[in-house]
Amino acid sequence: MDLKVSKNTAVVFDLDDTLYNELEYLKSAYRAIAQTLDPQKWEMLYSKMFSLYRSKHNVFEFLSECYAVETAELIDMYRNHIPDIQLFDGVLDVFKAIKQNQGKIGVITDGRSLTQRVKLERLGIYNDIDKIVISEEIGTEKPCLANFKALESALPQCSYCYIADNLKKDFIVPNVLGWTTIALVDNGKNIHYESHQCMEAKYQPDHFIIDFKQLTVV
């Protein structure tokens, strides 16, 4: 689909499972934790951890019992590791085209400030973003109106487009505000995969795309 962008356009993105797969962040964190707890046989531990996760077991409970480490310490290791993550194909091309058309780029994401900002830095796009709205920093999570109004206040007098993945919380408010809304379809690896439960009109975006290669900035 074509996305018209000019100097009066703000294209806003969700982060997790929109610009990259959040599962890759989880795997990166698990590798870092396994390497810390069992440097000699970390691959075996990592395999066990990921298998437990996929089987919906409590991974941190297992680690706490087997390695005499507090859950709080494991959570801290998870949140503060340096992640090994990569952008989805086509994201950089879309970012470059937005900037070439003098458009603005925003991010609205739920999560912890440090964690989300490190992700953006590791993805190599931090300096391309004109405004970042993070739930921890403003005290509310999507679908709260305040998160989207904070973006509008920072980048005023624009037409807005929001590209995200989670039908449950991402599109309710921007639809009400008159933004253009675009859903990136789950590629089979999304952390949250309950879209089938949110098919009422208020949850629906204006458009769906399979990947960023389907998006042409004009």
Side-chain angles (χ1 to χ4, degrees), residues 30-187:
Y30 279 10
R31 286 194 298 271
I33 292 170
Q35 289 167 351
T36 298
L37 296 181
D38 194 347
Q40 300 303 316
K41 298 182 179 179
W42 72 266
E43 294 95 342
M44 183 182 297
L45 176 56
Y46 168 76
S47 176
K48 174 77 170 181
M49 292 168 63
F50 196 62
S51 177
L52 287 170
Y53 165 77
R54 296 185 69 185
S55 301
K56 301 187 183 302
H57 288 82
N58 189 321
V59 176
F60 287 175
E61 183 177 291
F62 159 75
L63 294 175
S64 181
E65 292 175 355
C66 293
Y67 291 88
V69 58
E70 295 291 333
T71 299
E73 184 178 350
L74 294 168
I75 293 173
D76 185 68
M77 293 166 65
Y78 185 97
R79 290 174 174 169
N80 295 315
H81 86 288
I82 303 301
D84 180 12
I85 52 179
Q86 291 80 39
L87 290 169
F88 285 136
D89 288 345
V91 172
L92 278 182
D93 291 335
V94 170
F95 270 46
K96 289 177 181 177
I98 293 169
K99 291 298 185 180
Q100 287 172 353
N101 286 24
Q102 301 181 49
K104 300 176 180 64
I105 296 175
V107 166
I108 299 176
T109 176
D110 288 342
R112 296 173 66 86
S113 177
L114 177 61
T115 301
Q116 300 304 83
R117 289 183 181 276
V118 168
K119 289 175 183 177
L120 292 169
E121 289 175 354
R122 294 293 291 176
L123 290 170
I125 56 174
Y126 190 89
N127 293 329
D128 296 320
I129 301 168
D130 297 288
K131 177 60 180 178
I132 302 169
V133 177
I134 302 175
S135 61
E136 185 185 56
E137 296 178 358
I138 67 171
T140 55
E141 296 184 349
K142 294 179 291 184
C144 184
L145 177 66
N147 300 58
F148 296 87
K149 295 301 287 186
L151 192 288
E152 287 187 343
S153 295
L155 304 177
Q157 299 180 334
C158 287
S159 59
Y160 304 93
C161 173
Y162 192 49
I163 303 174
D165 70 284
N166 191 335
L167 268 59
K168 184 176 181 180
K169 65 178 183 177
D170 280 329
F171 304 115
I172 297 172
V173 171
N175 282 341
V176 171
L177 292 174
W179 293 23
T180 299
T181 50
I182 302 173
L184 179 67
V185 174
D186 181 357
N187 63 2

